[in-house]
Amino acid sequence: MADFGVYVHIPFCASKCEYCAFATWTDRGHLVGQYLDALTTEIERAVVEGMPVAQTIFVGGGTPTLVPGAALADVIGSIPATSDAEITVECNPDDVTRELMETYRSGGVNRISLGVQSMSAHVLASLGRTHDQRNVATAIEAIKASGMPSFNLDLIYGAAGESIGDWRRTVEEALAFDPPHISAYGLTVEAGTPLAAQPDRHPDDDDQADKYELVDDLLAAAGLANYEVSNWARPGHESRHNFLYWDQADYRGFGCAAHSHASGRRWWNVRTPDRYIEMIDRGDPVEAASETLDDETQQFEGLQLALRTRDGVRREAFDEPTLELLTDWVVPHPTDGDRVVLTRAGRLMANEISLRFR
Ligand SMILES: C[S@@+](CC[C@H](N)C(=O)[O-])C[C@H]1O[C@@H](n2cnc3c(N)ncnc32)[C@H](O)[C@@H]1O
Ligand code: SF4
């Protein structure tokens, strides 16, 4: 059976972070009930149309913890999934309680992704976050006490005012919680965000490279292996949902602005929750637009995604003379002579190196 995954978008946030370009709203709380009903309807329709059984489900946002846990569990329960499916919910540290985690557990959720970002109050303020880093410990205790089999901590490096010492403390404090998985992202300036309008607060490439090397050293020393440029895990805790995207498998996104992919065709839903609810209620399709990738683009994207992972790409993806020029960045796979992988310095240059495929 080919891999298939489901993404569910929850577009509500308590406040908008300065760097965030995701489709989220802070003034649509009154729509939560109708939105969850619309999600259930969209899922039911897809099931009737023969949607495959999911091996992974990822509920992201936005802030899924802003909607009632039992109602979210019902939405998840309406998605046909294998008995061993990986089911992840993205959580904000401020909202995580043991009761909520137990509700998720009874709804089949087996993985939490917690938006920690930083353990330093002034860095959180600089990112425009409202959560309190002191709540991270309480949230992780609740996750563990509920018997959740796996969890991830999301971290961001490169905010204005973050020193290398601040970042080291963030990573060390995150590691003290013994997480099985960490995603660490360099702060990215997204067009149209408040951060984009403040060039003096934009991250510095060299500073971000130093912070990347530091996090990689600290995580590796703690037994979390890098398995994709921005992702580290203990063996067996790699995100199966992530791999589904990187392997260009089929996935279906539900909710406003959610993206789907099937055999080279990508499509995405209407962007606002208001319009999404309205169209579902009328029985209209919620697809806003689509694109079909030609074979060449599909192949290039596949290589680009694979190069970022620890499996790398087949050696013949590059010309031999190019490989000789790239020896600091691209090296033979440690166990598979037919493949090549990025070095750590190469991981920092993954996009540039992708431009060198033959
Ligand atoms: C879609 S967000 C939603 C998670 C949750 N609402 C939160 O913010 O904690 C998923 C993750 O993407 C990362 N992220 C979002 N925007 C980013 C940006 N501009 N640069 C770097 N990382 C970003 C953050 O680490 C965040 O936890
Ligand atoms: S980063 Fe997360 S909490 Fe902040 S606005 Fe974006 S989705 Fe909402």
PDB file of all heavy atoms in Angstrom, residues 13 15-17 19-20 24 61-63 129, ligand 2:
ATOM      1  N   CYS A  13      -5.457  31.637  16.061  1.00  0.00           N
ATOM      2  CA  CYS A  13      -4.335  31.923  16.968  1.00  0.00           C
ATOM      3  C   CYS A  13      -4.789  32.977  17.975  1.00  0.00           C
ATOM      4  O   CYS A  13      -5.647  33.814  17.659  1.00  0.00           O
ATOM      5  CB  CYS A  13      -3.131  32.455  16.199  1.00  0.00           C
ATOM      6  SG  CYS A  13      -2.244  31.134  15.355  1.00  0.00           S
ATOM      7  N   SER A  15      -2.739  35.286  19.228  1.00  0.00           N
ATOM      8  CA  SER A  15      -2.171  36.533  18.709  1.00  0.00           C
ATOM      9  C   SER A  15      -1.238  36.153  17.569  1.00  0.00           C
ATOM     10  O   SER A  15      -0.884  34.987  17.416  1.00  0.00           O
ATOM     11  CB  SER A  15      -1.415  37.286  19.802  1.00  0.00           C
ATOM     12  OG  SER A  15      -0.233  36.594  20.107  1.00  0.00           O
ATOM     13  N   LYS A  16      -0.878  37.133  16.755  1.00  0.00           N
ATOM     14  CA  LYS A  16      -0.087  36.820  15.559  1.00  0.00           C
ATOM     15  C   LYS A  16       1.387  37.087  15.835  1.00  0.00           C
ATOM     16  O   LYS A  16       1.765  38.183  16.251  1.00  0.00           O
ATOM     17  CB  LYS A  16      -0.586  37.703  14.399  1.00  0.00           C
ATOM     18  CG  LYS A  16      -0.036  37.319  13.052  1.00  0.00           C
ATOM     19  CD  LYS A  16      -0.840  36.225  12.386  1.00  0.00           C
ATOM     20  CE  LYS A  16      -0.123  35.710  11.139  1.00  0.00           C
ATOM     21  NZ  LYS A  16      -0.789  34.585  10.516  1.00  0.00           N
ATOM     22  N   CYS A  17       2.243  36.088  15.607  1.00  0.00           N
ATOM     23  CA  CYS A  17       3.684  36.270  15.812  1.00  0.00           C
ATOM     24  C   CYS A  17       4.256  37.094  14.649  1.00  0.00           C
ATOM     25  O   CYS A  17       3.802  36.958  13.517  1.00  0.00           O
ATOM     26  CB  CYS A  17       4.374  34.913  15.906  1.00  0.00           C
ATOM     27  SG  CYS A  17       3.645  33.882  17.185  1.00  0.00           S
ATOM     28  N   TYR A  19       6.747  37.003  12.773  1.00  0.00           N
ATOM     29  CA  TYR A  19       7.455  36.376  11.648  1.00  0.00           C
ATOM     30  C   TYR A  19       6.553  35.437  10.850  1.00  0.00           C
ATOM     31  O   TYR A  19       6.971  34.851   9.865  1.00  0.00           O
ATOM     32  CB  TYR A  19       8.642  35.553  12.195  1.00  0.00           C
ATOM     33  CG  TYR A  19       8.203  34.563  13.255  1.00  0.00           C
ATOM     34  CD1 TYR A  19       7.734  33.301  12.897  1.00  0.00           C
ATOM     35  CD2 TYR A  19       8.200  34.908  14.609  1.00  0.00           C
ATOM     36  CE1 TYR A  19       7.283  32.408  13.855  1.00  0.00           C
ATOM     37  CE2 TYR A  19       7.746  34.018  15.574  1.00  0.00           C
ATOM     38  CZ  TYR A  19       7.292  32.782  15.183  1.00  0.00           C
ATOM     39  OH  TYR A  19       6.842  31.906  16.123  1.00  0.00           O
ATOM     40  N   CYS A  20       5.298  35.270  11.285  1.00  0.00           N
ATOM     41  CA  CYS A  20       4.481  34.161  10.780  1.00  0.00           C
ATOM     42  C   CYS A  20       3.658  34.548   9.554  1.00  0.00           C
ATOM     43  O   CYS A  20       2.939  35.543   9.563  1.00  0.00           O
ATOM     44  CB  CYS A  20       3.552  33.665  11.873  1.00  0.00           C
ATOM     45  SG  CYS A  20       2.496  32.318  11.314  1.00  0.00           S
ATOM     46  N   THR A  24      -3.554  32.188   9.369  1.00  0.00           N
ATOM     47  CA  THR A  24      -4.163  32.130  10.701  1.00  0.00           C
ATOM     48  C   THR A  24      -4.801  33.466  11.037  1.00  0.00           C
ATOM     49  O   THR A  24      -4.362  34.515  10.567  1.00  0.00           O
ATOM     50  CB  THR A  24      -3.115  31.812  11.797  1.00  0.00           C
ATOM     51  OG1 THR A  24      -2.287  32.952  11.989  1.00  0.00           O
ATOM     52  CG2 THR A  24      -2.272  30.614  11.445  1.00  0.00           C
ATOM     53  N   GLY A  61      -1.343  24.315  12.361  1.00  0.00           N
ATOM     54  CA  GLY A  61      -2.058  25.578  12.277  1.00  0.00           C
ATOM     55  C   GLY A  61      -1.150  26.727  11.959  1.00  0.00           C
ATOM     56  O   GLY A  61      -0.123  26.554  11.325  1.00  0.00           O
ATOM     57  N   GLY A  62      -1.570  27.814  12.556  1.00  0.00           N
ATOM     58  CA  GLY A  62      -2.542  27.996  13.605  1.00  0.00           C
ATOM     59  C   GLY A  62      -2.223  27.287  14.935  1.00  0.00           C
ATOM     60  O   GLY A  62      -1.137  26.791  15.151  1.00  0.00           O
ATOM     61  N   THR A  63      -3.216  27.304  15.755  1.00  0.00           N
ATOM     62  CA  THR A  63      -3.067  26.781  17.105  1.00  0.00           C
ATOM     63  C   THR A  63      -4.183  25.784  17.406  1.00  0.00           C
ATOM     64  O   THR A  63      -5.246  26.177  17.916  1.00  0.00           O
ATOM     65  CB  THR A  63      -3.077  27.948  18.124  1.00  0.00           C
ATOM     66  OG1 THR A  63      -2.122  28.935  17.721  1.00  0.00           O
ATOM     67  CG2 THR A  63      -2.715  27.474  19.520  1.00  0.00           C
ATOM     68  N   ARG A 129       6.154  36.433  20.475  1.00  0.00           N
ATOM     69  CA  ARG A 129       5.401  35.316  21.063  1.00  0.00           C
ATOM     70  C   ARG A 129       4.754  35.778  22.361  1.00  0.00           C
ATOM     71  O   ARG A 129       5.285  36.646  23.056  1.00  0.00           O
ATOM     72  CB  ARG A 129       6.330  34.134  21.398  1.00  0.00           C
ATOM     73  CG  ARG A 129       7.068  33.544  20.255  1.00  0.00           C
ATOM     74  CD  ARG A 129       6.231  32.672  19.375  1.00  0.00           C
ATOM     75  NE  ARG A 129       5.618  31.539  20.045  1.00  0.00           N
ATOM     76  CZ  ARG A 129       4.998  30.560  19.394  1.00  0.00           C
ATOM     77  NH1 ARG A 129       4.898  30.574  18.077  1.00  0.00           N
ATOM     78  NH2 ARG A 129       4.453  29.562  20.040  1.00  0.00           N
TER      79      ARG A 129
HETATM   80  S1  SF4 B   2       3.782  31.066  14.648  1.00  0.00           S
HETATM   81 FE1  SF4 B   2       2.159  29.739  15.414  1.00  0.00          FE
HETATM   82  S2  SF4 B   2       1.197  30.891  17.119  1.00  0.00           S
HETATM   83 FE2  SF4 B   2       2.386  32.345  15.951  1.00  0.00          FE
HETATM   84  S3  SF4 B   2       0.907  33.254  14.520  1.00  0.00           S
HETATM   85 FE3  SF4 B   2       1.965  31.561  13.438  1.00  0.00          FE
HETATM   86  S4  SF4 B   2       0.699  29.800  13.727  1.00  0.00           S
HETATM   87 FE4  SF4 B   2       0.029  31.346  15.235  1.00  0.00          FE
END
